[in-house]
Amino acid sequence: MDYADLLIETHGKVAVIRLNRPKAMNALNDNMMNELGDALRRFDADSNIGCIILTGSDKVFAAGADIAAMANYDYADTYNGNYIGRNWEHILDVRKPVIGVVAGYALGGGCELAMMCDFLIAADSAKFGQPEITVGVTPGAGGTQRLPRAISKSKAMDMLLTARMIDAAEAERTGLVSRVFAADKLMEEAIGVAQIIAAKPLSVAMQIKDCVNRAYETGLTEGVRYERRYFQAGFGTPAQKEGMSAFLEKRKPNFEGL
Ligand code: DAK
């Protein structure tokens, strides 16, 4: 895979996709988002991959949508061209786990893209913000919806209305990120987390992801009913047989290919 605005690596069953427009602080433009959709689709379909990491550089995850590209847009350009909708949200269709790994700035569309990942790991250098109000627009890729769900209405209103950035410690305290590591250990630690996930049965990981995402979009009763169907259907599968046999036989399970 050869891309102009992304760097790609694999570490065993872990794929790493790096946003890479260093001269523009990884500002998100059409080409990058098209490439990102392509890379995500390929890794999702690749049976050698069990977990995907989306990251940036050690300085910036992404400083938002590309302001230079959108400064001259008018309503017809954004509405008729389905700006954002046409190519920013492929990540939501990925069935395998996707970890967002953030060092430095994740601002505006960058913060929104990070929040589309399944969970976030941050460096102690990370800074999250939704400064769109300062450039005269509302967020357009889910910032007003995912941020209050992640960190509470009050914190989200504060960030969205004042454009205040929060640091890694506040992001962890408020639940936006799950873990924080020293910047120089970030990728090593994040790949370690991804490798743990990739060694689990992929079928079950995808079902858990589907169920947790359901919790976002339905009420509790409906969500628990959804989860129960997966749970019951899981009996008799190779993953259940291997996992439970291994426990009873006091050995490590081998979920290769499951
Ligand atoms: N877009 C384009 N270029 C950017 C950029 C961005 N978002 N952020 C930085 N750059 C460029 C700078 O212009 C500069 O380019 P040169 O001057 O060197 O050519 C280069 O990256 C380095 O930036 P700085 O010189 O500013 O670097 P600093 O370290 O001093 O500052 C910073 C880093 C990240 C704090 C600063 O660059 C900054 O504040 N950047 C802008 C952050 C921002 O406002 N982000 C939100 C963007 S708005 C919608 C759809 C989408 C959206 C909204 C609505 N609808 C469909 C309704 C999304 C909006 C956004 O994301």
Side-chain angles (χ1 to χ4, degrees):
M1 291 186 214
D2 205 9
Y3 297 112
D5 295 327
L6 303 178
L7 298 173
I8 303 292
E9 302 156 25
T10 54
H11 301 259
K13 296 179 80 176
V14 174
V16 178
I17 303 174
R18 251 179 217 286
L19 307 173
N20 184 45
R21 293 187 70 212
K23 288 187 183 147
M25 300 293 275
N26 287 346
L28 307 166
N29 66 4
D30 247 354
N31 185 64
M32 185 191 267
M33 299 318 279
N34 287 336
E35 290 185 351
L36 178 59
D38 185 72
L40 287 167
R41 271 193 297 269
R42 283 168 185 245
F43 284 131
D44 207 25
D46 182 343
S47 58
N48 296 313
I49 296 299
C51 188
I52 302 168
I53 285 176
L54 176 61
T55 191
S57 68
D58 54 1
K59 192 172 169 202
V60 62
F61 178 79
D66 188 331
I67 298 171
M70 64 183 168
N72 293 323
Y73 283 173
D74 61 21
Y75 179 62
D77 295 322
T78 57
Y79 184 77
N80 296 350
N82 193 18
Y83 180 49
I84 303 297
R86 70 173 172 254
N87 57 3
W88 277 53
E89 292 171 330
H90 296 308
I91 190 167
L92 302 177
D93 296 326
V94 175
R95 298 173 74 212
K96 291 176 182 170
V98 181
I99 308 175
V101 176
V102 176
Y105 297 109
L107 302 179
C111 188
E112 292 173 305
L113 179 64
M115 290 191 289
M116 291 182 209
C117 297
D118 296 321
F119 67 98
L120 293 178
I121 291 175
D124 49 14
S125 63
K127 286 193 185 325
F128 297 87
Q130 297 286 164
E132 285 89 340
I133 194 166
T134 306
V135 290
V137 290
T138 64
T144 63
Q145 305 303 301
R146 291 193 178 91
L147 199 58
R149 284 169 167 79
I151 68 170
S152 83
K153 175 186 166 190
S154 183
K155 283 272 181 193
M157 283 285 193
D158 177 358
M159 286 176 67
L160 287 154
L161 295 174
T162 67
R164 175 173 84 86
M165 292 185 211
I166 60 170
D167 63 14
E170 190 170 359
E172 187 182 26
R173 197 166 67 240
T174 53
L176 182 60
V177 311
S178 69
R179 313 191 199 188
V180 177
F181 294 109
D184 60 348
K185 293 270 182 288
L186 177 69
M187 283 315 292
E188 182 188 326
E189 297 285 359
I191 289 169
V193 174
Q195 279 168 338
I196 290 172
I197 295 171
K200 307 285 186 205
L202 177 62
S203 53
V204 182
M206 292 194 302
Q207 290 164 7
I208 289 172
K209 169 171 171 164
D210 191 23
C211 287
V212 174
N213 284 333
R214 201 74 177 187
Y216 249 44
E217 280 155 28
T218 57
L220 180 61
T221 304
E222 190 50 39
V224 172
R225 190 173 292 145
Y226 192 80
E227 179 198 79
R228 188 73 32 86
R229 293 288 166 265
Y230 268 131
F231 175 71
Q232 291 167 340
F235 285 84
T237 60
Q240 179 259 331
K241 293 293 171 221
E242 171 61 11
M244 294 194 182
S245 305
F247 177 81
L248 294 173
E249 292 160 15
K250 302 191 186 304
R251 62 175 173 82
K252 268 188 84 175
N254 176 6
F255 292 121
E256 195 57 43
L258 305 184

